[in-house]
Structure formats: structure tokens, C-alpha cells
Amino acid sequence: MPLAIMTPANGHSGVVRLRSHPELSDIALFVFAIGAIWILRRALRRRKRKD
């Protein structure tokens, strides 16, 4: 029964909002991806130099 009560509160409200800027999660994901690429490239360069 508590699950049935909580379900509508977690769903979509039906109100459409215009996006005027990126969400914080979008920015965080972008920064994480840039960091991961930078670390990977650094590791691959270091590995190549050892050979």
C-alpha cells in the first residue's frame, strides 16, 4: 500500500518546461568524461614510452 501512495509523487507531473540551460547532471557527466579521457590518454602514453 505505501508504494501505491508514493508512486504518483515520483512520476511525471505532466507540466512541460522549456530547457533554458543544461542540467547539472549533464555538466557533471561531461566533466567526468573529459577527466576519464585525459587519464586514459596519459596512461596509454606512459605505456607506449616504456616499450
Side-chain angles (χ1 to χ4, degrees):
M1 183 74 172
L3 183 59
I5 293 170
M6 293 176 58
T7 303
N10 294 334
H12 190 273
S13 65
V15 177
V16 178
R17 294 184 309 155
L18 293 176
R19 291 184 68 171
S20 59
H21 55 79
E23 295 290 329
L24 185 59
S25 61
D26 296 337
I27 296 169
L29 182 61
F30 181 74
V31 170
F32 177 79
I34 294 295
I37 290 169
W38 180 73
I39 289 172
L40 243 153
R41 290 183 70 190
R42 195 178 84 179
L44 288 172
R45 282 190 200 125
R46 183 176 294 166
R47 184 177 174 189
K48 182 74 173 171
R49 270 185 275 158
K50 286 184 179 179
D51 290 345

